[in-house]
Amino acid sequence: MRRSLAALLLAVVACGGSGAETEPTSLTFMAGFTPQANLPFVGVYVADTLGYFADEGLEVEIRHSGPGGENLQLLASGEVDVTTMDAGVLLQRRSDPGLPLVSIGLVGQRGQQAFVALAESGIETPEDWQGRLVGYKGTPPPDVFALLEAAGLDESDVTLINVGFDPRILTEGQVDVYPVFKSNEPNLLSGWGFEVNMWEAADYGAPTLGLTYVASEDGVANKPEVLAAFMRAAIRGIEYGRENPAETIDIVMEHVGPDGDREHQLYMLETESADAVSETTDAHGIGWQTEDQWAALQDFLIRYDALTSPIDVTEAFTTEFLP
């Protein structure tokens, strides 16, 4: 009997080992901009390099979007499974033109944008903006109006100017206050030898939010297991990145290329790592999001005419795929 039982066990093991290995599931991720140490990008870079996606049975193609925003169209068409997007932009695009976008993880627990003035200008508080030239990118964001209101000012107290994406506009004196992406442009200005004073709307009570991982409604409905596997690996990658910045920048530089500035990428990683935590993530983990957060953001956008019409925010996000 012993020999028969042993033979049976060996046969079972042999049968289990002789079958073909399960093929990995393919998924396409498109970062919302060029290669850099944005924290959602970092999570994917690390998960790919350290085998976290492989652990989940995924084979992830990593692509990058240019400034034209083709990631949204490719996501809506199904050519891309996951991309990244600012939370405020997600609400705006769901409202108009009605794109079926769903946040599957809120990485930025604070907004990406701030405003700076040269330290030598004597502008030390938002109250000092009165009578000054204040820049904005594209359209005036609700953040600038929130800061003006906090200072007891309104739009008529400043001159709003549409500026581009070159911070030298500030250093050359074309504006007094310049809008920056916090993880990027303050470090550029510092590297050029300019110290700045910086203000964030969130510090004055504005409920700003930052970058999200985004899927389509179709993906959420039809690929739940794949998206859950992606998020487990990506969040794991973010956690590794926050805890091991030097090794993580090694990985980031493989995507940025030899001409990239390592110290600048480290600044970006550290800045976004700080903004990835909040009381919400303390309780639930990186990437968590709540209806209260999204509702407050929508109210903020509506208050300053940054949203065409309100939407049901419960359809704009899900925690289903968060580890």
Side-chain angles (χ1 to χ4, degrees):
M1 285 293 294
R2 285 183 181 178
R3 291 185 63 186
S4 299
L5 179 59
L8 177 61
L9 290 173
L10 285 171
V12 170
V13 171
C15 289
S18 62
E21 293 186 7
T22 303
E23 290 292 322
T25 300
S26 297
L27 179 145
T28 300
F29 167 79
M30 177 171 273
F33 201 61
T34 54
Q36 56 188 323
N38 279 134
L39 198 55
F41 301 11
V42 167
V44 172
Y45 297 159
V46 171
D48 184 59
T49 299
L50 298 188
Y52 300 162
F53 287 136
D55 292 346
E56 297 287 349
L58 295 180
E59 183 175 359
V60 176
E61 178 189 3
I62 300 174
R63 299 167 62 181
H64 294 84
S65 174
E70 66 265 30
N71 56 322
L72 301 188
Q73 286 72 32
L74 294 176
L75 181 73
S77 69
E79 187 173 333
V80 166
D81 298 296
V82 180
T83 188
T84 63
M85 189 182 311
D86 181 84
V89 174
L90 186 151
L91 291 181
Q92 291 168 332
R93 296 296 175 266
R94 273 196 72 98
S95 175
D96 182 16
L99 295 179
L101 308 172
V102 182
S103 168
I104 59 174
L106 175 63
V107 178
Q109 297 285 313
R110 289 170 66 104
Q112 302 179 80
Q113 191 169 89
F115 290 82
V116 300
L118 297 179
E120 64 187 28
S121 70
I123 303 175
E124 310 232 343
T125 69
E127 287 84 351
D128 297 328
W129 292 14
Q130 185 163 11
R132 302 285 190 161
L133 304 176
V134 178
Y136 64 88
K137 296 171 179 173
T139 58
D143 304 55
V144 71
F145 298 119
L147 286 165
L148 289 171
E149 185 174 317
L153 304 175
D154 60 34
E155 185 176 348
S156 65
D157 291 316
V158 299
T159 301
L160 292 174
I161 299 177
N162 190 357
V163 298
F165 292 83
D166 187 345
R168 284 175 292 190
I169 289 174
L170 177 67
T171 64
E172 294 171 356
Q174 297 182 47
V175 293
D176 301 302
V177 179
Y178 182 80
V180 295
F181 290 105
K182 294 182 300 181
S183 64
N184 181 18
E185 290 160 305
N187 190 52
L188 290 177
L189 289 162
S190 177
W192 296 340
F194 296 94
E195 296 304 315
V196 298
N197 296 324
M198 185 167 71
W199 305 274
E200 286 184 64
D203 289 333
Y204 293 82
T208 62
L209 298 176
L211 285 175
T212 65
Y213 285 119
V214 182
S216 67
E217 290 180 353
D218 183 67
V220 168
N222 297 314
K223 298 182 178 181
E225 293 181 0
V226 174
L227 293 179
F230 172 86
M231 289 305 297
R232 283 193 298 270
I235 297 298
R236 188 179 171 192
I238 286 174
E239 291 171 342
Y240 179 93
R242 297 183 72 245
E243 295 168 3
N244 304 276
E247 295 88 343
T248 296
I249 295 303
D250 289 339
I251 295 172
V252 170
M253 295 307 294
E254 294 175 8
H255 294 268
V256 172
D259 296 330
D261 184 334
R262 181 184 177 89
E263 290 305 312
H264 183 64
Q265 297 301 321
L266 180 60
Y267 178 92
M268 183 175 291
L269 173 62
E270 291 175 339
T271 302
E272 298 207 355
S273 292
D275 282 350
V277 294
S278 66
E279 291 182 0
T280 299
T281 63
D282 289 344
H284 301 285
I286 294 292
W288 201 261
Q289 49 194 340
T290 69
E291 182 178 347
D292 286 346
Q293 286 177 298
W294 284 97
L297 177 61
Q298 174 163 262
D299 290 344
F300 176 58
L301 297 177
I302 291 173
R303 178 177 182 179
Y304 296 109
D305 299 321
L307 195 64
T308 303
S309 59
I311 63 169
D312 181 354
V313 295
T314 64
E315 297 178 354
F317 81 98
T318 179
T319 58
E320 178 184 355
F321 312 121
L322 290 170

